[in-house]
């Protein structure tokens, strides 16, 4: 399916897939993978905002499968992995899963909010529990600010996490 300039959608031969149904073969329209990923991403964000992080995590997993090169799916998936709890209260397996996902997002694109989220994980889980983190939280924290982090991005992150920002304010 392709969108034309006048807003109409044209359906081409490549947008159909056969469904084998007994003796009758029928055809149905097939969405391109980027459309499927966008739908999963939108559903995941909706579920995060509704406070349904486990359902959101599944949607972001499906979006990553459909479009593995989109860093947003890793970032939002990392947020969902914490289960709507502070990192301090989340199980270690969830913190580690979020850590792996945020590193996946950073591998795809170097954004300040990804570094800030990583700093949050290391500060709130490891530092508050007096555990040795994989690396100090101050490193990604400084990197986030050096890359031009804004307060609106921080607010957006913590709105999706549904927790308060425990990191120190930079003046």
């Amino acid at each position: 399916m392709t969108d034309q300039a006048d807003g109409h959608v044209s359906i081409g031969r490549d947008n159909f897939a056969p469904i084998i149904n007994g003796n009758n073969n029928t055809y149905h329209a097939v969405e391109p993978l980027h459309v499927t990923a966008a739908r999963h991403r939108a559903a995941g964000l909706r579920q995060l905002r509704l406070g349904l992080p486990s359902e959101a995590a599944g949607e972001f997993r499906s979006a990553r499968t459909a479009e593995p090169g989109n860093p947003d799916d890793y970032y939002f998936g990392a947020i969902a992995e914490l289960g709507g709890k502070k990192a301090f209260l989340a199980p270690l397996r969830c913190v580690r899963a979020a850590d792996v996902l945020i590193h996946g997002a950073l591998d795809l694109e170097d954004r300040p909010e990804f570094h800030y989220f990583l700093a949050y994980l290391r500060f709130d889980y490891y530092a508050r529990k007096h555990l040795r983190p994989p690396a100090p939280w101050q490193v990604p924290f400084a990197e986030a600010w050096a890359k031009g982090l804004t307060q609106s991005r921080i607010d957006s992150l913590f709105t999706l996490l549904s927790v308060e920002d425990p990191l120190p304010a930079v003046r």
Side-chain angles (χ1 to χ4, degrees):
M1 282 182 270
T2 57
D3 290 326
Q4 296 176 349
D6 62 0
H8 289 87
V9 176
S10 68
I11 300 177
R13 189 177 88 191
D14 295 335
N15 299 113
F16 286 94
I19 299 175
I20 300 174
N21 183 11
N23 292 335
N24 301 326
N25 290 339
T26 59
Y27 285 83
H28 73 284
V30 177
E31 290 181 329
L33 289 178
H34 69 277
V35 173
T36 302
R39 286 190 182 180
H40 285 295
R41 189 175 309 114
L45 283 169
R46 205 170 28 256
Q47 290 167 337
L48 264 181
R49 288 184 181 113
L50 290 173
L52 304 168
S54 60
E55 290 84 351
E59 291 291 347
F60 294 123
R61 198 172 303 113
S62 297
R64 287 191 306 273
T65 300
E67 189 181 356
N70 190 318
D72 290 329
D73 298 328
Y74 292 85
Y75 174 61
F76 295 134
I79 291 169
E81 282 296 327
L82 293 180
K85 299 176 185 170
K86 294 178 180 184
F88 181 77
L89 298 174
L92 178 59
R93 67 178 169 70
C94 294
V95 172
R96 286 186 175 159
D99 190 85
V100 167
L101 287 169
I102 201 63
H103 275 95
L106 279 165
D107 288 345
L108 293 168
E109 190 173 334
D110 194 14
R111 290 192 208 159
E113 60 267 29
F114 298 169
H115 289 281
Y116 199 82
F117 181 75
L118 186 58
Y120 163 70
L121 280 178
R122 291 177 180 170
F123 176 83
D124 203 51
Y125 188 82
Y126 295 100
R128 284 188 59 200
K129 291 186 178 203
H130 305 288
L131 300 172
R132 193 170 83 190
W137 67 267
Q138 294 91 341
V139 173
F141 183 78
E143 188 72 20
W145 288 107
K147 293 198 176 293
L149 183 67
T150 63
Q151 188 61 47
S152 66
R153 288 182 176 185
I154 294 170
D155 295 342
S156 176
L157 167 63
F158 285 95
T159 297
L160 289 173
L161 283 168
S162 300
V163 299
E164 295 290 319
D165 182 1
L167 293 169
V170 174
R171 308 252 181 243

